[in-house]
Amino acid sequence: MPKWPKPAEGSWTEHYPELGTGPISFRDSTSPEFYELEREAVFKRAWLNVGRVEELPRVGSYLTKEIDAAKTSVIVVKGRDQKIRAFYNVCRHRGNKLVWNDFPNDEVRGACRQFTCKYHGWRYDLEGALTFVQQPGEFFDLDAEQYGLSPVHCDIWNGFIFINLDPEPRQSLRDFLGPMITALDDYPFEMMTERYDFVAHNNSNWKIFADAFQEYYHVPSLHSQQVPTAVRQPNASFECGHFQIDGPHRLVSTAGTRRWLLDPEYMYPVERATRSGLVGPWRTPETHQSAGLNPGGIEPWGITNFQIFPNLEILIYHGWYLLYRYWPTSHNTHKFEAYNAFHPARTVRERIEHEVASVVLKEFALQDAGMLGGTQAALEYDVVDDFPLSDQEILVRHLHKTAVDWVEEYKAQRRPVGV
């Protein structure tokens, strides 16, 4: 059998020797037992993105977030002091779910002056304080100050709302994000408010889908319709220009040029007609280019994908961005949320350009999603447990190692002293 040469000395993976270069296991993506530990070790302890400030535009604006991996529901609301807070979505009287409409497991959003429990009418203000109890004289020494909504740690970075379900988070949000992510402090996400959202329920572990966006080794094979002929040739080089790891977070940058878009062979006709598609509109408003956007100094720069552990990815293009979130619902299923965000369209043509880019990108993501069932099913056969990864798959290696490390740390903290 042929043997391919090892990556050259100084490859990306070898810059991070703690990752190793040997085959890896994907048992962290197939084991129900590991998932139960991951729920506790990761999703109840890490900072989780649940929205953006634009989703809560005025006093009383709220949204709920169902977090299956933590078996909980959270209310996020803007108070009268303009501060955004989070609370567990539980009435303090009899434990009824406080905010829901027709179906208790569906997420809702809206605006209100107060929250009122459907069951017995207890009311809470926007800051979570208990303000009204039916027949208070029937209770025994009820102290309303002790029965406000249970708070959840909530903080904001550059307009992104994060929560942390740990009663005592190990780090502040900013320390958790670290310098590689906070280098985007000055990137104007707030200017890109025209959004196109979509949600999919997928038949794979959440990390298996995240893996698809951490490497571009699969592009010539899986996305052959979207790449030039030269890239589809056997042994053609399709490599990313820069990988970087900072704590539990990762990024990958690709070179890019819209010259490819002039090749009609691999474009949909609608892309040529509208001058928009896979990399977004061919023309975009001038947008401040943060120093953290292209840390590898790639020229010409195309995309940088910031992967914030555990389940958030922000892909920044020229003048717009794409966001992914992966919410586990079991050891082998997850809910995938995504949206594209553009500068608000000024003309009908710009609106069409945004819609075409969103449709083409959705098609691209569906091609990745189409692999999920096959990957998950084969991994669960439990026949193979050592999978070799290329240098271009360094971030796949890092994500799975990080998840395992968090679980092992959690187990060690629970272990009795001396055991």
Side-chain angles (χ1 to χ4, degrees):
M1 295 293 293
K3 289 187 177 181
W4 287 271
K6 296 180 180 179
E9 186 68 21
S11 68
W12 295 108
T13 308
E14 291 172 344
H15 286 302
Y16 301 94
E18 68 277 9
L19 297 180
T21 56
I24 74 165
S25 168
F26 287 105
R27 288 186 182 274
D28 62 295
S29 300
T30 62
S31 164
E33 294 76 21
F34 184 90
Y35 173 66
E36 290 303 312
L37 288 166
E38 188 178 60
R39 288 177 50 249
E40 300 292 333
V42 176
F43 286 90
K44 289 187 178 182
R45 300 173 74 185
W47 287 93
L48 307 173
N49 172 240
V50 294
R52 276 200 56 83
V53 294
E54 293 87 3
E55 297 176 68
L56 304 175
R58 61 183 185 275
V59 169
S61 295
Y62 68 86
L63 60 85
T64 66
K65 197 68 189 174
E66 302 298 309
I67 305 176
D68 287 353
K71 295 184 179 179
T72 197
S73 175
V74 173
I75 306 166
V76 185
V77 59
K78 177 175 280 190
R80 299 185 190 281
D81 57 0
Q82 303 292 323
K83 182 177 179 180
I84 292 174
R85 297 177 175 84
F87 305 97
Y88 285 103
N89 192 3
V90 180
C91 177
R92 292 297 307 277
H93 171 223
R94 289 264 294 280
N96 188 51
K97 194 165 195 174
L98 181 61
V99 180
W100 57 284
N101 291 339
D102 297 327
F103 304 99
N105 292 324
D106 287 354
E107 295 177 349
V108 297
R109 60 183 64 218
C112 65
R113 296 180 180 179
Q114 61 185 354
F115 298 112
T116 302
C117 182
K118 304 174 191 291
Y119 202 176
H120 298 98
W122 281 34
R123 300 175 192 166
Y124 305 85
D125 67 19
L126 302 178
E127 289 70 49
L130 176 62
T131 59
F132 176 81
V133 175
Q134 296 275 14
Q135 299 176 258
E138 291 291 320
F139 289 85
F140 304 94
D141 300 320
L142 179 67
D143 182 356
E145 291 187 2
Q146 301 299 313
Y147 287 92
L149 296 178
S150 297
V152 173
H153 292 280
C154 182
D155 203 351
I156 296 169
W157 168 73
N158 205 346
F160 292 96
I161 304 168
F162 287 79
I163 63 168
N164 193 311
L165 300 170
D166 193 334
E168 297 182 4
R170 297 180 295 175
Q171 295 175 287
S172 68
L173 173 60
R174 189 166 187 85
D175 287 345
F176 173 74
L177 294 176
M180 186 178 75
I181 304 301
T182 57
L184 293 175
D185 282 348
D186 60 340
Y187 189 73
F189 292 105
E190 74 281 356
M191 297 177 66
M192 289 159 258
T193 56
E194 184 180 323
R195 276 178 46 167
Y196 298 83
D197 294 71
F198 56 95
V199 175
H201 296 273
N202 294 316
N203 55 348
S204 81
N205 182 272
W206 65 280
K207 296 184 293 295
I208 296 300
F209 202 8
D211 288 345
F213 302 106
Q214 299 191 97
E215 50 85 8
Y216 297 89
Y217 178 59
H218 70 276
V219 169
S221 300
L222 185 58
H223 304 302
S224 59
Q225 196 171 5
Q226 280 86 14
V227 296
T229 304
V231 175
R232 300 196 300 267
Q233 298 301 318
N235 297 320
S237 176
F238 191 86
E239 297 182 356
C240 295
H242 184 74
F243 295 96
Q244 193 166 319
I245 292 170
D246 181 21
H249 314 302
R250 304 164 301 286
L251 71 75
V252 53
S253 291
T254 63
T257 170
R258 289 187 168 104
R259 287 180 300 178
W260 277 12
L261 298 171
L262 302 178
D263 182 353
E265 181 180 348
Y266 81 103
M267 292 171 56
Y268 294 120
V270 69
E271 294 179 85
R272 295 196 297 272
T274 61
R275 300 179 67 81
S276 181
L278 184 59
V279 296
W282 297 9
R283 56 175 184 173
T284 50
E286 287 295 323
T287 303
H288 171 67
Q289 298 299 296
S290 168
L293 190 56
N294 181 16
I298 299 171
E299 293 296 340
W301 170 78
I303 312 165
T304 299
N305 178 347
F306 294 84
Q307 300 157 6
I308 301 174
F309 187 78
N311 65 330
L312 173 66
E313 294 192 28
I314 305 173
L315 296 87
I316 302 179
Y317 295 69
H318 289 274
W320 66 282
Y321 74 94
L322 174 59
L323 182 142
Y324 297 148
R325 287 189 289 251
Y326 312 90
W327 295 105
T329 51
S330 75
H331 77 282
N332 58 8
T333 60
H334 73 278
K335 177 183 178 183
F336 174 61
E337 298 175 339
Y339 69 78
N340 307 325
F342 303 97
H343 291 259
R346 297 163 295 183
T347 65
V348 172
R349 179 176 180 85
E350 286 186 359
R351 178 62 183 263
I352 292 172
E353 290 172 359
H354 297 168
E355 293 184 3
V356 168
S358 299
V359 170
V360 173
L361 276 152
K362 187 175 180 180
E363 164 68 18
F364 201 77
L366 285 171
Q367 291 176 13
D368 289 300
M371 293 293 102
L372 299 180
T375 302
Q376 188 71 36
L379 289 174
E380 291 185 2
Y381 296 156
D382 200 22
V383 175
V384 178
D385 194 38
D386 57 332
F387 297 91
L389 298 184
S390 71
D391 197 37
Q392 290 285 312
E393 295 164 294
I394 176 178
L395 303 189
V396 175
R397 187 184 296 275
H398 178 259
L399 171 59
H400 291 269
K401 182 180 186 302
T402 300
V404 171
D405 286 349
W406 276 54
V407 165
E408 291 301 319
E409 179 186 0
Y410 172 74
K411 289 165 60 179
Q413 292 172 348
R414 294 174 62 201
R415 192 176 299 128
V417 176
V419 175

